[in-house]
Amino acid sequence: MQRRKLVAGNWKLNGALASNRSLLEALRGSAYAGADCAVLVPFPYLAQAGEILKGSRVAWGAQDVSEHDAGAFTGEVSAPMLAEFGCRYVAVGHSERRALFAEDDATVARKMAAAMKGGVTPILCVGETLAEREAGQTAAVVERQLKAVVDGPGTALFAQAVVAYEPVWAIGTGKTATPDQAQEVHGQIRALLNRWGVEAAVVPLLYGGSVKASNAASLFAMPDVDGGLVGGASLVATEFLDIWRAAAEAGTR
Ligand code: 13P
């Protein structure tokens, strides 16, 4: 079955009103119908993204969400709030959240459930560190991260989610996984989901980690790579648009 490709730009902790505007306006003016596109912006810029991108082919979303809907949780932002600002997507369990903000697998699974309940599609990020890869633990680490969803909120969540495989050693390092390395893990993820009773063929699996215009086409050509989660390159309009175009071309082949 043909899955639509998706390219999502994760701005991380970057942006300012003026520079956002020129980037978002460049994206708004473009449309590669063969693939979907989204930007995940810092919370304060959601309103700006919505205002500029409304009516365009580019969706917007956030980089994190609270597991709680409301209450005494200072500093948190909930899924209903994201939904109110028109977010279609939210990343959960990005490796930077896991490593720098001590998010564990169970917390990430609860955030995924909260996003879904609030009507925002979660992009669940998984991936191994370099030490884990070198120790031959890649498949086990990814399985453990995904299994927290099965053991917590339940496998049904996967049917309407996006999964992003982001090897930590490839993030912001310029060291991209080879298309074969990405395909190997994506294939494992799809097989796992199938084993857990999920209709894995409909779950988009994105690759993230130093995706650039120059390597996007070869990654997106792999049968289980349904697009990309793009960090640094999503901050440069021409670069990000070329990645979107590569996804659209791969998606219509
Ligand atoms: P880079 O594309 O900058 O390596 O970042 C990847 C990433 O973390 C996207 O979520």
Side-chain angles (χ1 to χ4, degrees), residues 32-231:
Y32 299 109
D36 294 327
C37 181
V39 288
L40 309 182
V41 307
F43 294 130
Y45 301 134
L46 285 173
Q48 185 191 27
E51 176 215 322
I52 296 174
L53 297 176
K54 199 163 193 245
S56 79
R57 296 195 73 103
V58 182
W60 60 95
Q63 303 164 13
D64 185 27
V65 65
S66 176
E67 63 183 275
H68 306 287
D69 278 357
F73 302 103
T74 301
E76 292 284 88
V77 174
S78 71
M81 294 173 185
L82 297 183
E84 203 171 17
F85 278 82
C87 290
R88 184 170 316 159
Y89 300 101
V90 62
V92 296
H94 191 279
S95 63
E96 288 149 18
R97 303 286 329 160
R98 293 175 189 264
L100 305 173
F101 301 96
E103 289 189 12
D104 60 19
D105 296 331
T107 305
V108 171
R110 288 194 298 273
K111 288 185 171 202
M112 185 180 173
M116 200 83 91
K117 181 165 154 261
V120 183
T121 300
I123 301 176
L124 171 65
C125 304
V126 298
E128 82 289 1
T129 63
L130 184 58
E132 288 164 341
R133 172 162 282 262
E134 286 174 345
Q137 293 168 349
T138 300
V141 168
V142 169
E143 175 163 356
R144 189 202 72 223
Q145 291 169 331
L146 293 169
K147 181 93 180 345
V149 178
V150 179
D151 294 341
T155 43
L157 289 195
F158 285 117
Q160 286 161 66
V162 175
V163 175
Y165 168 58
E166 298 207 303
V168 178
W169 49 270
I171 294 178
T173 58
K175 272 193 226 152
T176 318
T178 64
D180 287 337
Q181 283 174 321
Q183 171 57 32
E184 184 183 14
V185 180
H186 284 226
Q188 288 165 350
I189 292 173
R190 217 178 292 283
L192 257 182
L193 294 178
N194 272 323
R195 204 171 83 209
W196 290 331
V198 179
E199 194 192 347
V202 304
V203 181
L205 303 182
L206 310 186
Y207 166 79
S210 299
V211 175
K212 304 184 268 276
S214 57
N215 59 29
S218 59
L219 287 161
F220 300 163
M222 303 313 283
D224 287 301
V225 178
D226 304 318
L229 186 53
V230 184

